[in-house]
Amino acid sequence: MCYGQTGAGKTYTMTGATENYKHRGILPRALQQVFRMIEERPTHAITVRVSYLEIYNESLFDLLSTLPYVGPSVTPMTIVENPQGVFIKGLSVHLTSQEEDAFSLLFEGETNRIIASHTMNKNSSRSHCIFTIYMEAHSRTLSDEKYVTSKINLVDLAGSERLGKSGSEGRVLKEATYINKSLSFLEQAIIALGDHKRDHIPFRQCKLTHALKDSLGGNCNMVLVTNIYGEAAQLEETLSSLRFASRMKLVTTEPAINEKYNAEVLRGL
């Protein structure tokens, strides 16, 4: 997850410079690594699926709905929880058998993102984006009924900003208000997760924290990249971002392998 104020380099860190392969970001590198690891594991049949979700002004959008075989959703997308975790009902999920397919889906989604010119950044992301890689691994040599599932959420958060300082107005001001509110709820959830005496974690306060519920604590590994400015003029925002990072460090995670059993195979045994 990349966190920080507007224009600090979150999207550059996550996706990198598309015109320069050497400067590619975490997301394309993660996709490369996934497919490289699949090649190194001939003992397993591993399927990879991807989705790309955008949260803009507290509404959910499918960044891959523009693909000809997907089409627009009739019903609005909703966040649903089941014993397996959190998933987005109505979000298209795409099977990718090779690295090139995954990259073309990534670039398709990137072109559909909402950006706007901002005082801090001429191509400012005005939404939170979650690119998810879903993996399912079946052993080719051991029993068929057991398999392992994994999910990687790569999150590019919209930037926080001090409205009095940025001078945003009109649509950009409305967007900034939604962004700041959801980031505030994210921080509240992180503070609650770091406090082991708290029973209730306020995940449902906004779409962002609800969608990321199973990636913020518990059975997951979490990496936070905090993007900051080097200029003294942005010191207040930099300290705020670093405070968020220090709170994130208090969150404990307990990653475990997600082993599932194929009911149909078990019934046949």
Side-chain angles (χ1 to χ4, degrees):
M1 177 189 284
C2 286
Y3 179 92
Q5 76 182 107
T6 300
K10 296 178 298 301
T11 302
Y12 182 77
T13 302
M14 195 51 82
T15 53
T18 47
E19 66 280 356
N20 190 328
Y21 180 77
K22 199 172 96 174
H23 296 157
R24 65 199 184 283
I26 293 170
L27 223 165
R29 289 172 192 266
L31 285 169
Q32 281 180 306
Q33 195 170 335
V34 162
F35 284 98
R36 193 179 304 134
M37 286 176 76
I38 290 171
E39 282 179 18
E40 291 167 4
R41 292 192 189 181
T43 54
H44 285 77
I46 302 172
T47 55
V48 178
R49 292 176 173 83
V50 302
S51 66
Y52 210 167
L53 173 71
E54 178 176 59
I55 304 172
Y56 173 71
N57 289 359
E58 268 306 280
S59 295
L60 304 172
F61 295 95
D62 184 353
L63 287 173
L64 299 177
S65 65
T66 49
L67 291 164
Y69 56 87
V70 178
S73 177
V74 182
T75 54
M77 286 191 288
T78 51
I79 301 167
V80 179
E81 288 183 53
N82 64 22
Q84 281 75 48
V86 176
F87 73 99
I88 316 297
K89 192 178 177 184
L91 180 66
S92 64
V93 179
H94 305 261
L95 184 67
T96 56
S97 55
Q98 54 189 6
E99 198 179 299
E100 292 76 17
D101 297 344
F103 275 122
S104 64
L105 288 166
L106 168 61
F107 294 133
E108 173 74 22
E110 285 298 305
T111 57
N112 293 328
R113 288 183 63 169
I114 293 172
I115 59 169
S117 185
H118 190 276
T119 49
M120 305 293 284
N121 179 8
K122 68 175 171 49
N123 292 317
S124 175
S125 301
R126 309 310 293 158
S127 58
H128 308 301
C129 290
I130 306 169
F131 187 90
T132 306
I133 307 168
Y134 312 83
M135 283 167 288
E136 198 173 288
H138 294 255
S139 173
R140 293 184 198 272
T141 52
L142 301 173
S143 60
D144 282 341
E145 74 271 12
K146 192 168 76 171
Y147 61 98
V148 174
T149 61
S150 304
K151 179 169 76 172
I152 305 171
N153 276 328
L154 295 138
V155 187
D156 180 14
L157 295 171
S160 57
E161 61 179 271
R162 293 186 188 276
L163 300 176
K165 197 170 177 179
S166 63
S168 295
E169 52 188 34
R171 182 172 67 90
V172 177
L173 174 62
K174 183 189 174 188
E175 290 166 347
T177 307
Y178 273 107
I179 291 164
N180 286 352
K181 197 173 171 184
S182 61
L183 291 173
S184 173
F185 286 142
L186 173 64
E187 190 155 11
Q188 285 176 31
I190 296 303
I191 291 167
L193 283 163
D195 181 355
H196 303 296
K197 293 190 282 291
R198 289 277 291 269
D199 292 328
H200 174 69
I201 312 297
F203 284 119
R204 290 169 178 261
Q205 288 192 106
C206 71
K207 301 276 200 320
L208 176 66
T209 50
H210 198 183
L212 293 175
K213 182 181 175 181
D214 53 7
S215 297
L216 293 174
N219 181 16
C220 66
N221 283 309
M222 175 77 186
V223 177
L224 176 74
V225 178
T226 308
N227 296 81
I228 58 171
Y229 276 90
E231 291 86 7
Q234 308 299 334
L235 187 61
E236 212 176 332
E237 288 84 350
T238 295
L239 287 171
S240 176
S241 295
L242 294 175
R243 269 195 296 274
F244 178 87
S246 64
R247 283 168 178 155
M248 185 67 92
K249 286 171 80 174
L250 298 173
V251 177
T252 55
T253 59
E254 296 162 5
I257 293 171
N258 298 312
E259 288 189 336
K260 306 274 176 68
Y261 290 87
N262 189 324
E264 286 179 19
V265 175
L266 284 173
R267 274 198 296 272
L269 290 174

